[in-house]
Amino acid sequence: MSSHLDLTSARWRKSVRSAANEACVEVAPLDRIVAVRDSKHPDGPSLMFSGHAWSAFLSTVKEG
């Protein structure tokens, strides 16, 4: 995935179960990818995943 996407208008969200210390991961679903970043460093780098890869990751996490 391209690392040069403009994420300034991305709608970032984090789990409602995240701790008050903001040490969590935020995700932003975009057109055909999902961007992931560290909430402590919102201006830092973001990881990009295809929608398929992100869905597979979530399924694996839910299965334990």
Side-chain angles (χ1 to χ4, degrees), residues 14-53:
K14 59 185 172 182
S15 172
V16 295
R17 295 180 182 176
S18 63
N21 65 7
E22 296 189 23
C24 55
V25 171
E26 295 178 315
V27 298
L30 303 168
D31 185 30
R32 294 173 13 184
I33 65 166
V34 175
V36 181
R37 72 180 182 186
D38 182 344
S39 66
K40 294 183 305 291
H41 304 287
D43 295 325
S46 299
L47 300 173
M48 307 293 173
F49 298 93
S50 69
H52 176 74

